[in-house]
């Protein structure tokens, strides 16, 4: 037997049948045994309340339900399962292919229907394949939605970084202007000139980092220029030496 490990959808398919006819339940069980490519766990019940009680521990993936039972119909049972937070797929079994009844069942939550008069292992297998493909699509949709949310978070972060970098650049421009004026006033002979020169260099390197943040946010442009690697690493080591104990 092959297990249903198609892209992590499920390892084993659990099927619950609710039908008040013992002979129909027997036939359905026999037809399931003919569906060889699938590993299936199966239970059945004669009414909605019994099915819900069994499913508390069984937790089916697919619920096949007869449309008309003694005191209830498929719509009542689907609503009962949904009310109790059951997340299985519902398939209608009907003796009469009445469009109105089928439409009502689909509105309640059914995903497919099978006519009892034409019931076969091939039809059941077709429905199972459809449900598996549907679940695979749902998993892919959730993955894409998660990816979209992550992209939106990154976009928000980029916008925030761009705003901060823009304001920071304005402050740095002001700092560079004041440092330049101070250097002109004191002249190179003053002992403080070298200190102002270091401040000027640090501000310029900070401005470069700020421009990189703007480029990351889409509000700036990268300029590729040749530079000497030894000087870059000397500056980097110098900066690290000032900040490391």
């Amino acid at each position: 037997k092959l297990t249903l490990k198609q892209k992590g959808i499920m390892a084993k398919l659990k099927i619950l049948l609710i039908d008040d006819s013992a002979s129909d339940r027997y036939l359905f069980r026999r037809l399931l045994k003919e569906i060889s490519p699938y590993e299936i766990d199966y239970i059945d019940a004669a009414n909605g309340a019994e099915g819900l009680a069994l499913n508390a521990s069984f937790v089916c993936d697919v619920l096949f339900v007869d449309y008309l039972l003694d005191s209830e119909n498929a719509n009542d049972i689907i609503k009962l399962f949904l009310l109790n937070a059951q997340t299985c797929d519902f398939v209608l079994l009907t003796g009469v292919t009445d469009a109105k009844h089928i439409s009502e069942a689909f509105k309640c939550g059914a995903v497919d229907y099978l006519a009892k008069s034409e019931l076969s292992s091939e039809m059941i297998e077709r429905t199972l394949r459809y449900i598996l493909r549907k679940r695979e699509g749902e998993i892919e949709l959730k993955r894409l939605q998660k990816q979209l949310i992550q992209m939106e978070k990154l976009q928000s972060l980029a916008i925030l970084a761009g705003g901060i970098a823009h304001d920071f650049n304005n402050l740095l421009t002001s700092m560079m202007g004041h440092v330049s004026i101070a250097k002109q006033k004191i002249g190179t002979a003053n002992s403080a000139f070298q200190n102002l020169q270091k401040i000027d260099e640090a501000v310029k390197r900070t401005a470069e980092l700020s421009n990189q943040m703007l480029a990351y946010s889409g509000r700036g442009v990268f300029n590729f220029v040749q530079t000497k690697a030894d000087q870059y690493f000397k500056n980097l080591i110098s900066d690290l030496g000032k900040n490391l104990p």
Side-chain angles (χ1 to χ4, degrees):
K1 285 186 178 181
L2 301 175
T3 58
L4 302 180
K5 292 181 178 177
Q6 300 174 348
K7 296 187 179 180
I9 297 172
M10 58 187 71
K12 182 180 291 187
L13 197 60
K14 294 184 176 182
I15 294 176
L16 168 62
L17 169 67
I18 297 179
D19 195 320
D20 56 357
S21 169
S23 58
D24 285 349
R25 294 198 300 273
Y26 171 79
L27 173 63
F28 194 86
R29 181 188 292 270
R30 185 171 62 80
L31 291 175
L32 283 181
K33 291 181 179 179
E34 296 176 8
I35 306 176
S36 57
Y38 302 96
E39 185 177 348
I40 293 172
D41 276 350
Y42 170 81
I43 59 172
D44 53 43
N47 55 64
E50 181 186 352
L52 185 63
L54 288 173
N55 202 49
S57 57
F58 184 68
V59 189
C60 68
D61 299 303
V62 186
L63 168 61
F64 289 85
V65 55
D66 186 20
Y67 179 76
L68 190 61
L69 291 87
D70 286 335
S71 58
E72 56 191 343
N73 61 34
N75 297 340
D76 298 325
I77 293 173
I78 292 173
K79 290 175 183 177
L80 176 66
F81 270 64
L82 291 175
L83 186 64
N84 286 270
Q86 305 297 305
T87 58
C88 54
D89 287 298
F90 304 101
V91 180
L92 178 68
L93 296 176
T94 177
V96 181
T97 54
D98 182 82
K100 181 181 178 181
H101 292 162
I102 294 170
S103 176
E104 289 175 351
F106 272 81
K107 287 178 181 178
C108 288
V111 298
D112 199 2
Y113 79 94
L114 297 174
K116 280 190 168 183
S117 59
E118 302 173 357
L119 195 62
S120 66
S121 59
E122 290 79 9
M123 290 184 65
I124 296 173
E125 185 176 356
R126 183 213 65 183
T127 294
L128 296 179
R129 285 200 307 269
Y130 163 72
I131 290 173
L132 290 175
R133 286 197 299 269
K134 182 177 75 71
R135 291 197 173 194
E136 183 179 343
E138 290 170 352
I139 290 171
E140 179 64 14
L141 179 60
K142 288 180 180 179
R143 187 189 68 81
L144 292 174
Q145 287 175 336
K146 186 177 179 180
Q147 191 177 60
L148 178 61
I149 291 171
Q150 185 65 22
M151 289 175 64
E152 289 175 345
K153 287 181 179 179
L154 290 174
Q155 185 179 20
S156 298
L157 181 60
I159 293 171
L160 177 62
I164 293 172
H166 180 73
D167 292 340
F168 198 51
N169 255 353
N170 291 337
L171 294 172
L172 291 173
T173 301
S174 177
M175 290 173 64
M176 284 189 289
H178 285 293
V179 169
S180 179
I181 293 170
K183 285 165 66 178
Q184 290 175 10
K185 284 185 177 182
I186 66 173
T188 57
N190 193 302
S191 60
F193 185 87
Q194 290 301 321
N195 299 103
L196 289 174
Q197 185 68 22
K198 292 292 184 182
I199 294 172
D200 195 23
E201 292 173 359
V203 169
K204 287 178 180 178
R205 287 200 296 272
T206 306
E208 291 174 2
L209 292 174
S210 182
N211 287 330
Q212 290 177 17
M213 291 177 65
L214 281 171
Y216 167 73
S217 67
R219 297 172 62 179
V221 179
F222 280 114
N223 292 319
F224 296 95
V225 295
Q226 289 185 349
T227 185
K228 293 183 178 180
D230 58 340
Q231 186 60 47
Y232 172 81
F233 285 110
K234 283 179 182 178
N235 293 336
L236 181 61
I237 292 170
S238 177
D239 289 340
L240 289 173
K242 294 172 184 176
N243 293 289
L244 294 176

